[in-house]
Amino acid sequence: MYKPLLLLGAAAALLGSSLPASAGRTLDAIKQRGVVNCGVHTGRAGFALPDANGRWSGFDVDYCRALAAAVFGDAEKVKFIPTSTQTRLTALQSGEIDVLARSTTWQLSRDGSLGILWVGVNFFDGGAFLVKKAPGLDSVKKLDGATICITSGSTAEKTTADYFRASKMTFSPVVFENTDATRQAFENGRCQVIGNDYAALSITRVTELKNPDDYAVLPELITKEPLGPVVRRGDDEWFSIARWTLYAMIEAEELGLTKANVDTFRTGSSSPEVKRFLGIGEDLGKHLGLERDWAYKIVKQVGNYGESFEANLGEGSRFKIPRGRMKLWTDGGLVYAPPFR
Amino acid sequence: MTRQTAKELTLQVLIGLSPVALGVWLAGNLQANLAARGLTSGYDFLLDPAGFAITEGPLPYQTGDSYLMAFLAGAANTLTVSIPAIALTTLFGALLGIAAISRNPLLAGVVRLYVDAARNVPLLVHVLLWYVLLLTILPDATKPFVLGPLFLSKAGLALPHPLTGEWPRLGYFGLRGGLQVSPEFTAIVMALATYSAAYCAEIVRAGLQSVPRGQWEAAHALILTRWQAIRMIVAPQALRVILPPYISLALNTIKNSSLGVAIGYPEIVSIGTTSMNQSGRAIECISIIALLYLILNIATSFTLAIVNRRVQIRER
């Protein structure tokens, strides 16, 4: 009963407190508090994981830091709040966190009726299956009759049922409360398959299974799972800041700005686009209620989108997840930012 | 009506109304806060298709059925584990309780040890222990251990379906068809039974010891054996002491079955959590979980109260 109790606590907060008539300015509250409260995964290498010294790192963590850099000019002014698959949305709805950066799928029902809004997409994932390698087991079509372990609260609970029904195949789900319990049951042989997003499964395979080479993530993606940061509804200013922070990381890559070279560009670039982006001359920050050099601070302290991706998930990491759809639109990918002007 | 009673009455009414007022205030606040946060609320989602699958259970729930059906399937699963768990608790508890007052010090000592060990380990640990134990000792799903018509593996116990007569057959991923009992079901039932049996043993022992010594001595004087004395003289009198705490234990066992969520058994809490995440209606789903337990427990308590009334002494 412990998870529902947590939710009950959040529900109690909804019951007891009263909200100001104007759906409060999140930015003011954050400035007064001095930190951005960022909801992240309880621990998934590559996306969000604290090291031995308690310092968080990961792709989602970088986004949180970028947001702090945009708001305070200091990427360290962020408090990471670990959230479970079940409590993440409640934590956001109740105001415990300002933004949720935790591989959460953008889908209509959540976007429409849960009082939350997706800022954008930072990872174009898809539903997939992890299996123990066996001769002939090379496609999702071979999974008829399998027992599949799934984590409660993930979209896989519903999409797996949909997929098997549409393919006229059967399966038995065993639903666990968290990804650790799911993985343990898989290792113990209770199920032959884990259903989750492709990236999550790739990471589980490399970091948590004893002999990663004995396992494979089947190549087909059965669904679209666009993941991205989420904010509460009712504060358009905060929504814009969160959205343009993501775009700033993307735009920086398109402009060729990196953590290492941004200072050279700042002093020596003659490109009007770069100058505008870095806040030299024209002040774009004022439109968002931020400092003139907010985008510079993001690139200088956190890096651009591609840097963050490669370091945490791609070539610079253990996972070697291909950039694929996460390439910039200019390279044939889906990642695109509207113009900074 | 004197002034005194009028004053008391007013006070009573005020005290009686205050929780109602608090409830109304909280409900109003909830409504306002949900609306302010743009959250949709209400129970209309119960008729929408749930869309997730449930592995096992006595109800013929299908993926396309409504959330309401899913909740009912969850409640049915809670009963499906609670009934055998309570039956086993009663059986083990009665045997252990009688053994505890045995004159054989070894037997009494072993029972004492068991009761202390089982009671002092959290139930969640019992549940996980049974589950891991089952999954560790049983063979892989593709290589089941065959015992006549029974097939044992990590996928659980499979046997020919008693109604349709269909035999389980081996597929690529293990056994299919027939009647299948999952390891989650077995683990939660055994954990509840072994844990609650320790409490039940104490209740039975206390009940038997509450019967005055004179009754034992009288039985002895009538040259009844010790077993006959327990069966005919002591137990019927002890039952009156045993039943009230036993009812409370049975109700606790039903509630404790909620720990099945930890090992993936689809009972009320598990279905509730899934529904909560799929529909986003947290407060509604928690209230339904609470309501279902309330209904199950009130029904159980009512049934057992009738039994209790029958065994109580009728003054003549």
Side-chain angles (χ1 to χ4, degrees), chain A residues 25-38 67-68 71-72 77-78 97-99 231-232 235 238 241:
Chain A
R25 295 253 305 159
T26 312
L27 185 60
D28 290 343
I30 292 171
K31 282 193 167 153
Q32 207 171 12
R33 197 191 307 132
V35 287
V36 176
N37 286 339
C38 200
L67 205 49
V71 172
F72 294 111
K77 290 196 170 167
V78 53
I97 52 179
D98 303 313
V99 61
V231 296
R232 229 173 357 268
D235 188 341
W238 178 239
I241 292 169

mmCIF file of all heavy atoms in Angstrom, chain A residues 25-38 67-68 71-72 77-78 97-99 231-232 235 238 241:
data_model
loop_
_atom_site.group_PDB
_atom_site.id
_atom_site.type_symbol
_atom_site.label_atom_id
_atom_site.label_comp_id
_atom_site.label_asym_id
_atom_site.label_seq_id
_atom_site.Cartn_x
_atom_site.Cartn_y
_atom_site.Cartn_z
ATOM 1 N N ARG A 25 2.432 32.592 -10.624
ATOM 2 C CA ARG A 25 3.571 32.692 -11.512
ATOM 3 C C ARG A 25 4.656 31.758 -11.009
ATOM 4 O O ARG A 25 5.324 32.028 -10.027
ATOM 5 C CB ARG A 25 4.070 34.130 -11.558
ATOM 6 C CG ARG A 25 3.046 35.073 -12.167
ATOM 7 C CD ARG A 25 3.419 35.518 -13.553
ATOM 8 N NE ARG A 25 4.755 36.119 -13.605
ATOM 9 C CZ ARG A 25 5.457 36.216 -14.733
ATOM 10 N NH1 ARG A 25 4.977 35.745 -15.840
ATOM 11 N NH2 ARG A 25 6.655 36.788 -14.720
ATOM 12 N N THR A 26 4.821 30.650 -11.691
ATOM 13 C CA THR A 26 5.804 29.655 -11.273
ATOM 14 C C THR A 26 7.193 30.271 -11.169
ATOM 15 O O THR A 26 7.934 30.013 -10.236
ATOM 16 C CB THR A 26 5.806 28.484 -12.269
ATOM 17 O OG1 THR A 26 4.460 28.087 -12.503
ATOM 18 C CG2 THR A 26 6.586 27.310 -11.734
ATOM 19 N N LEU A 27 7.512 31.148 -12.132
ATOM 20 C CA LEU A 27 8.851 31.744 -12.150
ATOM 21 C C LEU A 27 9.124 32.545 -10.877
ATOM 22 O O LEU A 27 10.201 32.433 -10.291
ATOM 23 C CB LEU A 27 9.004 32.630 -13.391
ATOM 24 C CG LEU A 27 10.387 33.230 -13.597
ATOM 25 C CD1 LEU A 27 11.444 32.146 -13.750
ATOM 26 C CD2 LEU A 27 10.415 34.159 -14.807
ATOM 27 N N ASP A 28 8.123 33.314 -10.434
ATOM 28 C CA ASP A 28 8.302 34.095 -9.206
ATOM 29 C C ASP A 28 8.575 33.173 -8.029
ATOM 30 O O ASP A 28 9.454 33.429 -7.203
ATOM 31 C CB ASP A 28 7.050 34.927 -8.910
ATOM 32 C CG ASP A 28 6.885 36.050 -9.925
ATOM 33 O OD1 ASP A 28 7.881 36.353 -10.619
ATOM 34 O OD2 ASP A 28 5.772 36.607 -10.028
ATOM 35 N N ALA A 29 7.786 32.082 -7.950
ATOM 36 C CA ALA A 29 7.943 31.142 -6.849
ATOM 37 C C ALA A 29 9.339 30.519 -6.878
ATOM 38 O O ALA A 29 9.982 30.361 -5.841
ATOM 39 C CB ALA A 29 6.882 30.056 -6.943
ATOM 40 N N ILE A 30 9.816 30.183 -8.084
ATOM 41 C CA ILE A 30 11.141 29.565 -8.207
ATOM 42 C C ILE A 30 12.227 30.544 -7.787
ATOM 43 O O ILE A 30 13.147 30.195 -7.050
ATOM 44 C CB ILE A 30 11.384 29.109 -9.666
ATOM 45 C CG1 ILE A 30 10.441 27.949 -10.019
ATOM 46 C CG2 ILE A 30 12.827 28.695 -9.882
ATOM 47 C CD1 ILE A 30 10.442 27.580 -11.481
ATOM 48 N N LYS A 31 12.095 31.803 -8.222
ATOM 49 C CA LYS A 31 13.102 32.812 -7.877
ATOM 50 C C LYS A 31 13.159 33.029 -6.371
ATOM 51 O O LYS A 31 14.217 33.154 -5.780
ATOM 52 C CB LYS A 31 12.804 34.118 -8.599
ATOM 53 C CG LYS A 31 13.240 34.047 -10.055
ATOM 54 C CD LYS A 31 13.247 35.405 -10.698
ATOM 55 C CE LYS A 31 13.975 35.361 -12.035
ATOM 56 N NZ LYS A 31 13.490 36.404 -12.954
ATOM 57 N N GLN A 32 11.966 33.034 -5.748
ATOM 58 C CA GLN A 32 11.911 33.230 -4.312
ATOM 59 C C GLN A 32 12.560 32.044 -3.586
ATOM 60 O O GLN A 32 13.278 32.210 -2.613
ATOM 61 C CB GLN A 32 10.455 33.353 -3.896
ATOM 62 C CG GLN A 32 10.293 34.164 -2.631
ATOM 63 C CD GLN A 32 8.830 34.467 -2.364
ATOM 64 O OE1 GLN A 32 7.933 33.902 -2.987
ATOM 65 N NE2 GLN A 32 8.580 35.336 -1.416
ATOM 66 N N ARG A 33 12.324 30.848 -4.122
ATOM 67 C CA ARG A 33 12.834 29.617 -3.524
ATOM 68 C C ARG A 33 14.338 29.483 -3.749
ATOM 69 O O ARG A 33 15.057 28.945 -2.923
ATOM 70 C CB ARG A 33 12.095 28.442 -4.162
ATOM 71 C CG ARG A 33 12.191 27.146 -3.424
ATOM 72 C CD ARG A 33 11.675 25.981 -4.236
ATOM 73 N NE ARG A 33 10.331 26.153 -4.772
ATOM 74 C CZ ARG A 33 10.001 25.898 -6.035
ATOM 75 N NH1 ARG A 33 10.918 25.478 -6.888
ATOM 76 N NH2 ARG A 33 8.770 26.055 -6.459
ATOM 77 N N GLY A 34 14.775 29.972 -4.914
ATOM 78 C CA GLY A 34 16.199 29.905 -5.203
ATOM 79 C C GLY A 34 16.642 28.682 -5.981
ATOM 80 O O GLY A 34 17.799 28.583 -6.371
ATOM 81 N N VAL A 35 15.743 27.707 -6.180
ATOM 82 C CA VAL A 35 16.077 26.532 -6.990
ATOM 83 C C VAL A 35 14.886 26.119 -7.851
ATOM 84 O O VAL A 35 13.741 26.397 -7.509
ATOM 85 C CB VAL A 35 16.469 25.284 -6.137
ATOM 86 C CG1 VAL A 35 17.831 25.432 -5.506
ATOM 87 C CG2 VAL A 35 15.400 24.986 -5.086
ATOM 88 N N VAL A 36 15.187 25.432 -8.948
ATOM 89 C CA VAL A 36 14.138 24.818 -9.769
ATOM 90 C C VAL A 36 13.931 23.410 -9.217
ATOM 91 O O VAL A 36 14.896 22.667 -9.035
ATOM 92 C CB VAL A 36 14.578 24.744 -11.253
ATOM 93 C CG1 VAL A 36 13.528 24.021 -12.076
ATOM 94 C CG2 VAL A 36 14.837 26.124 -11.804
ATOM 95 N N ASN A 37 12.700 23.052 -8.914
ATOM 96 C CA ASN A 37 12.421 21.685 -8.488
ATOM 97 C C ASN A 37 12.131 20.841 -9.724
ATOM 98 O O ASN A 37 11.116 21.023 -10.383
ATOM 99 C CB ASN A 37 11.210 21.633 -7.548
ATOM 100 C CG ASN A 37 11.540 22.150 -6.169
ATOM 101 O OD1 ASN A 37 12.703 22.189 -5.780
ATOM 102 N ND2 ASN A 37 10.523 22.555 -5.430
ATOM 103 N N CYS A 38 13.049 19.928 -10.008
ATOM 104 C CA CYS A 38 12.942 19.170 -11.235
ATOM 105 C C CYS A 38 12.680 17.692 -10.930
ATOM 106 O O CYS A 38 13.483 17.042 -10.252
ATOM 107 C CB CYS A 38 14.248 19.332 -12.015
ATOM 108 S SG CYS A 38 14.069 18.949 -13.752
ATOM 109 N N LEU A 67 17.566 24.497 -17.573
ATOM 110 C CA LEU A 67 16.466 25.341 -17.108
ATOM 111 C C LEU A 67 16.940 26.258 -15.982
ATOM 112 O O LEU A 67 16.614 27.449 -15.938
ATOM 113 C CB LEU A 67 15.333 24.424 -16.627
ATOM 114 C CG LEU A 67 13.911 24.933 -16.623
ATOM 115 C CD1 LEU A 67 13.542 25.582 -17.933
ATOM 116 C CD2 LEU A 67 12.962 23.786 -16.309
ATOM 117 N N ALA A 68 17.758 25.696 -15.069
ATOM 118 C CA ALA A 68 18.307 26.501 -13.970
ATOM 119 C C ALA A 68 19.243 27.571 -14.524
ATOM 120 O O ALA A 68 19.244 28.711 -14.052
ATOM 121 C CB ALA A 68 19.029 25.603 -12.972
ATOM 122 N N VAL A 71 17.092 30.358 -15.923
ATOM 123 C CA VAL A 71 16.389 31.157 -14.915
ATOM 124 C C VAL A 71 17.358 31.938 -14.031
ATOM 125 O O VAL A 71 17.185 33.129 -13.795
ATOM 126 C CB VAL A 71 15.489 30.249 -14.045
ATOM 127 C CG1 VAL A 71 14.913 31.025 -12.866
ATOM 128 C CG2 VAL A 71 14.377 29.651 -14.889
ATOM 129 N N PHE A 72 18.390 31.246 -13.517
ATOM 130 C CA PHE A 72 19.287 31.870 -12.537
ATOM 131 C C PHE A 72 20.658 32.230 -13.108
ATOM 132 O O PHE A 72 21.459 32.848 -12.422
ATOM 133 C CB PHE A 72 19.516 30.901 -11.365
ATOM 134 C CG PHE A 72 18.290 30.632 -10.549
ATOM 135 C CD1 PHE A 72 17.681 29.388 -10.577
ATOM 136 C CD2 PHE A 72 17.746 31.620 -9.730
ATOM 137 C CE1 PHE A 72 16.553 29.128 -9.817
ATOM 138 C CE2 PHE A 72 16.617 31.365 -8.966
ATOM 139 C CZ PHE A 72 16.017 30.122 -9.020
ATOM 140 N N LYS A 77 21.615 25.561 -9.651
ATOM 141 C CA LYS A 77 20.475 25.911 -8.794
ATOM 142 C C LYS A 77 19.249 25.089 -9.145
ATOM 143 O O LYS A 77 18.219 25.606 -9.568
ATOM 144 C CB LYS A 77 20.188 27.407 -8.896
ATOM 145 C CG LYS A 77 21.286 28.211 -8.240
ATOM 146 C CD LYS A 77 20.863 29.634 -7.986
ATOM 147 C CE LYS A 77 21.910 30.321 -7.119
ATOM 148 N NZ LYS A 77 21.728 31.759 -7.092
ATOM 149 N N VAL A 78 19.398 23.778 -8.978
ATOM 150 C CA VAL A 78 18.306 22.879 -9.288
ATOM 151 C C VAL A 78 18.264 21.797 -8.223
ATOM 152 O O VAL A 78 19.302 21.349 -7.729
ATOM 153 C CB VAL A 78 18.464 22.295 -10.714
ATOM 154 C CG1 VAL A 78 19.818 21.667 -10.902
ATOM 155 C CG2 VAL A 78 17.392 21.302 -11.031
ATOM 156 N N ILE A 97 6.804 19.556 -7.907
ATOM 157 C CA ILE A 97 7.901 19.847 -8.833
ATOM 158 C C ILE A 97 7.428 20.902 -9.846
ATOM 159 O O ILE A 97 6.242 21.031 -10.103
ATOM 160 C CB ILE A 97 8.365 18.575 -9.582
ATOM 161 C CG1 ILE A 97 7.187 17.848 -10.240
ATOM 162 C CG2 ILE A 97 9.085 17.622 -8.641
ATOM 163 C CD1 ILE A 97 7.566 16.609 -11.017
ATOM 164 N N ASP A 98 8.382 21.665 -10.397
ATOM 165 C CA ASP A 98 8.048 22.707 -11.367
ATOM 166 C C ASP A 98 8.003 22.141 -12.773
ATOM 167 O O ASP A 98 7.306 22.647 -13.646
ATOM 168 C CB ASP A 98 9.088 23.822 -11.325
ATOM 169 C CG ASP A 98 9.206 24.421 -9.937
ATOM 170 O OD1 ASP A 98 8.152 24.709 -9.342
ATOM 171 O OD2 ASP A 98 10.336 24.579 -9.445
ATOM 172 N N VAL A 99 8.814 21.113 -12.993
ATOM 173 C CA VAL A 99 8.887 20.507 -14.319
ATOM 174 C C VAL A 99 9.226 19.039 -14.133
ATOM 175 O O VAL A 99 9.913 18.663 -13.187
ATOM 176 C CB VAL A 99 9.939 21.237 -15.190
ATOM 177 C CG1 VAL A 99 11.326 21.137 -14.581
ATOM 178 C CG2 VAL A 99 9.966 20.700 -16.613
ATOM 179 N N VAL A 231 5.193 20.368 -18.040
ATOM 180 C CA VAL A 231 4.906 21.354 -16.988
ATOM 181 C C VAL A 231 3.409 21.346 -16.671
ATOM 182 O O VAL A 231 2.625 20.744 -17.393
ATOM 183 C CB VAL A 231 5.324 22.793 -17.384
ATOM 184 C CG1 VAL A 231 6.825 22.896 -17.561
ATOM 185 C CG2 VAL A 231 4.591 23.243 -18.635
ATOM 186 N N ARG A 232 3.067 22.011 -15.578
ATOM 187 C CA ARG A 232 1.669 22.142 -15.186
ATOM 188 C C ARG A 232 0.954 23.123 -16.110
ATOM 189 O O ARG A 232 1.557 24.070 -16.591
ATOM 190 C CB ARG A 232 1.617 22.704 -13.759
ATOM 191 C CG ARG A 232 0.734 21.972 -12.833
ATOM 192 C CD ARG A 232 0.823 22.451 -11.376
ATOM 193 N NE ARG A 232 1.778 23.482 -11.064
ATOM 194 C CZ ARG A 232 3.017 23.235 -10.660
ATOM 195 N NH1 ARG A 232 3.449 22.005 -10.539
ATOM 196 N NH2 ARG A 232 3.826 24.226 -10.371
ATOM 197 N N ASP A 235 0.145 28.211 -16.468
ATOM 198 C CA ASP A 235 1.169 29.235 -16.361
ATOM 199 C C ASP A 235 1.926 29.283 -17.691
ATOM 200 O O ASP A 235 2.924 28.608 -17.878
ATOM 201 C CB ASP A 235 2.113 28.934 -15.197
ATOM 202 C CG ASP A 235 3.072 30.089 -14.943
ATOM 203 O OD1 ASP A 235 3.242 30.925 -15.859
ATOM 204 O OD2 ASP A 235 3.647 30.160 -13.846
ATOM 205 N N TRP A 238 5.764 30.241 -17.736
ATOM 206 C CA TRP A 238 6.669 29.155 -17.349
ATOM 207 C C TRP A 238 6.754 28.112 -18.462
ATOM 208 O O TRP A 238 7.826 27.594 -18.767
ATOM 209 C CB TRP A 238 6.204 28.529 -16.034
ATOM 210 C CG TRP A 238 7.061 27.378 -15.591
ATOM 211 C CD1 TRP A 238 6.658 26.102 -15.381
ATOM 212 C CD2 TRP A 238 8.462 27.409 -15.316
ATOM 213 N NE1 TRP A 238 7.715 25.326 -14.996
ATOM 214 C CE2 TRP A 238 8.852 26.106 -14.949
ATOM 215 C CE3 TRP A 238 9.446 28.401 -15.353
ATOM 216 C CZ2 TRP A 238 10.152 25.758 -14.622
ATOM 217 C CZ3 TRP A 238 10.757 28.056 -15.021
ATOM 218 C CH2 TRP A 238 11.101 26.763 -14.653
ATOM 219 N N ILE A 241 9.162 29.375 -21.045
ATOM 220 C CA ILE A 241 10.557 29.274 -20.612
ATOM 221 C C ILE A 241 11.046 27.831 -20.752
ATOM 222 O O ILE A 241 12.122 27.561 -21.285
ATOM 223 C CB ILE A 241 10.711 29.756 -19.143
ATOM 224 C CG1 ILE A 241 10.447 31.271 -19.073
ATOM 225 C CG2 ILE A 241 12.093 29.423 -18.597
ATOM 226 C CD1 ILE A 241 10.315 31.800 -17.668
#
